[in-house]
Amino acid sequence: MSLVNAAFQIIRDTASFYRCLNYFFRGDGDYASCPYFLPSQNDSKDSALFKKYARIHLYSLSVIFYLWDKPHYRKGSYQTDLRDNLRNVAIPGTGIPLSIFIVHRYVALFFILFVYPKIAFFAAVHVFTK
């Protein structure tokens, strides 16, 4: 894949990322009816699997905000449990624990919408240049 093709693919995938998250955030439908990252007949097995996992991952990211202040069986709320679980998980290469982004719903939303895609971009560049 040429660098130009890779750049256009990054733009298309990023746009699909935001459209899919928006779809789940708005509550327009469930996972089964999501129109984004649908495998096509031309997709290889790996590509179809990637699209399936992308949809699952984005759905799970959106569910965080639905569950945020709901009671949790281990802690008082899902937020508290998530913060405790992510204190030992760091952004690779930085040592920054993910739990610092779980202090408030809007901080977590900012992280998912703006920081997370940039981390993914730099990780992709790192893999591409290796």
Side-chain angles (χ1 to χ4, degrees), residues 19-60:
R19 284 193 293 259
C20 188
L21 266 181
N22 186 42
Y23 172 82
F24 289 131
F25 280 156
R26 287 192 332 245
D28 287 346
D30 58 0
Y31 171 81
S33 60
C34 177
Y36 304 103
F37 294 107
L38 292 174
S40 68
Q41 302 245 343
N42 302 351
D43 287 341
S44 67
K45 184 178 177 183
D46 288 341
S47 181
L49 203 55
F50 166 80
K51 290 178 179 180
K52 175 183 175 182
Y53 290 152
R55 289 173 69 203
I56 292 168
H57 181 65
L58 293 173
Y59 179 74
S60 71

Side-chain angles (χ1 to χ4, degrees), residues 8 11 17 23 42 68 70 72-73 79 87 98 104 123:
F8 282 117
I11 292 167
F17 168 84
Y23 172 82
N42 302 351
W68 189 267
K70 303 264 190 287
H72 193 269
Y73 71 97
Q79 176 207 6
R87 69 174 176 237
L98 291 177
H104 192 274

